[in-house]
Amino acid sequence: ACSDVVWTNDFTGLSDECGATGTATVTFTATDDCGNETTTEATFTIEDNTPPTIDPQAADATVECDGSGNAAELQAWLDSNGGASATDQCGEVTWTNDFTSLTDECGETGSATVTFTATDECGNESTTEATFTIEDTLAPSLDTPAADATVECDGAGNQAELQAWLTSNGGAVASDVCSDVVWTNDYNGLSDECGATGSATVTFTATDDCGNETTTTATFTIEDTTDPVIDTEAADATVECDGAGNQAELDAWLASNGGASASDACGDVTWTNDVGALTDECGATGTVTVTYTATDECGNTAETTASFTIEDTTAPSMDTPAADATVECDGDGNAAELQAWLDSNAGAVASDDCSDVTWTNDYNGLSDECGATGLATVTFTATDDCGNETTTEATFT
């Protein structure tokens, strides 16, 4: 009431609290011109109730499986708070997260949804959430492709060799950084070729745990390049001449392949031969050399050769033997009668199945008896074309 009032206060500074917060309790003094004072006290407080501002938010991350949990990439993502950034007007920001582990998916894949928490110095929090995913989108690596295989026919489908080839995936090798590899193939049977041969073109598929596939294709072939085996060689045959080419015996010898037999591991055997005409020997004899060819179902061949011979070792048959003749002496040696007797082979008749017969005799004159008489004992020889002989003897008196 007496004068003006002058205000003073004892503020010296704020207390040091979290962040840039703090308080000051201040005494305000009102002093009049005569030095009288009145005081009042109050507190000024800076508080922080505002959470940090997150910008940008955490972002999902997807990486390709490396088979070892992608530890470095995961740690980098966690350390970067999923790419999130936070600010606070009142102080520094501290980041934490609730990552524990990845889920267990196919192979070494998995994911984790992580909450990142930004906390300011006063304990105010803001959160952001994102997911880290390990995926496997890569097909297995084909380190060695499948290789064709060709085997010699065993007549039974070469089952052991085929199964071994299939089991080995045609020799193919595949690997995958994220998991094991499982092989399958589409084999469904061999083609039906000559004999027991055939082939199959097979696609082998390598599949990883996540279903990614790599394929390789190769062909398994059963071939027959082996000639039949001649188990029994053809044998020569010699028959006695029948004068008609011995056709039945020749046909039977040809039909039996000269007695030869053959076998083939891969299929049946078919026989052919190159029989030609018999050579023209004495009478109706002759020889033919025949090559028998055994051919398997795939066209492989083996040969055996033998000869069929018609021979004549049989002497002519003496159908009628020579007969003695006695004539009355005519004083001149009875030349006409003697000659007729010789020319008629003394009435002898001979035949041969294989050829004609030629007659000869050994007459060399009459003995010298009384007057102009005499006698001759003559051997008549019937000879066939092959030189076989039959004789008969008679006496002209």
Side-chain angles (χ1 to χ4, degrees):
C2 188
S3 68
D4 293 328
V5 173
V6 177
W7 284 98
T8 58
N9 64 71
D10 63 358
F11 173 74
T12 57
L14 293 168
S15 64
D16 184 12
E17 308 294 336
C18 61
T21 65
T23 63
T25 299
V26 179
T27 299
F28 295 92
T29 302
T31 305
D32 62 21
D33 289 345
C34 292
N36 301 300
E37 297 178 349
T38 298
T39 61
T40 181
E41 187 179 80
T43 300
F44 182 87
T45 302
I46 302 173
E47 65 181 6
D48 182 6
N49 295 314
T50 303
T53 299
I54 297 177
D55 184 24
Q57 298 287 318
D60 295 339
T62 300
V63 296
E64 190 65 26
C65 178
D66 66 4
S68 301
N70 297 77
E73 292 166 299
L74 172 60
Q75 191 59 52
W77 183 76
L78 291 172
D79 290 345
S80 71
N81 307 305
S85 179
T87 58
D88 190 82
Q89 289 184 336
C90 192
E92 302 292 339
V93 173
T94 302
W95 284 96
T96 57
N97 64 69
D98 64 355
F99 173 76
T100 55
S101 64
L102 294 166
T103 60
D104 184 14
E105 308 295 336
C106 60
E108 294 296 323
T109 66
S111 65
T113 298
V114 178
T115 298
F116 295 94
T117 300
T119 305
D120 64 20
E121 295 179 35
C122 295
N124 301 298
E125 298 178 350
S126 293
T127 61
T128 182
E129 187 177 84
T131 300
F132 183 87
T133 302
I134 302 173
E135 67 180 4
D136 180 9
T137 63
L138 298 179
S141 171
L142 186 62
D143 305 316
T144 303
D148 296 338
T150 300
V151 298
E152 189 65 21
C153 177
D154 67 3
N158 297 77
Q159 285 302 308
E161 293 164 299
L162 172 60
Q163 191 57 53
W165 184 76
L166 290 172
T167 301
S168 72
N169 307 306
V173 176
S175 59
D176 191 83
V177 296
C178 193
S179 68
D180 294 328
V181 171
V182 176
W183 284 95
T184 57
N185 65 68
D186 64 354
Y187 173 74
N188 62 2
L190 294 165
S191 62
D192 185 14
E193 309 295 336
C194 60
T197 66
S199 64
T201 297
V202 178
T203 297
F204 296 94
T205 301
T207 306
D208 64 23
D209 288 348
C210 295
N212 302 300
E213 297 179 350
T214 295
T215 62
T216 179
T217 300
T219 300
F220 183 87
T221 301
I222 301 174
E223 67 179 5
D224 181 9
T225 62
T226 303
D227 296 336
V229 175
I230 302 292
D231 302 312
T232 304
E233 297 285 344
D236 296 338
T238 300
V239 298
E240 190 65 24
C241 178
D242 67 1
N246 296 77
Q247 196 62 48
E249 291 165 300
L250 174 59
D251 288 344
W253 184 74
L254 292 171
S256 72
N257 306 307
S261 64
S263 59
D264 189 81
C266 193
D268 294 329
V269 172
T270 302
W271 285 96
T272 56
N273 65 68
D274 64 352
V275 64
L278 292 164
T279 58
D280 186 12
E281 309 294 336
C282 61
T285 65
T287 300
V288 61
T289 299
V290 178
T291 297
Y292 293 95
T293 301
T295 305
D296 65 24
E297 294 180 39
C298 294
N300 303 299
T301 61
E303 296 179 346
T304 180
T305 299
S307 296
F308 183 86
T309 300
I310 302 173
E311 66 179 5
D312 182 8
T313 63
T314 304
S317 172
M318 190 60 69
D319 304 318
T320 304
D324 295 338
T326 302
V327 297
E328 188 64 24
C329 178
D330 66 3
D332 290 321
N334 297 79
E337 292 166 299
L338 173 59
Q339 191 60 51
W341 183 76
L342 291 172
D343 289 345
S344 71
N345 305 307
V349 177
S351 60
D352 190 84
D353 287 339
C354 193
S355 66
D356 295 331
V357 173
T358 301
W359 285 96
T360 57
N361 63 70
D362 62 353
Y363 172 73
N364 61 1
L366 293 166
S367 63
D368 186 12
E369 305 297 331
C370 60
T373 66
L375 59 85
T377 297
V378 179
T379 298
F380 295 93
T381 301
T383 306
D384 64 22
D385 287 348
C386 295
N388 301 299
E389 297 180 349
T390 297
T391 62
T392 184
E393 187 177 83
T395 301
F396 185 86
T397 304

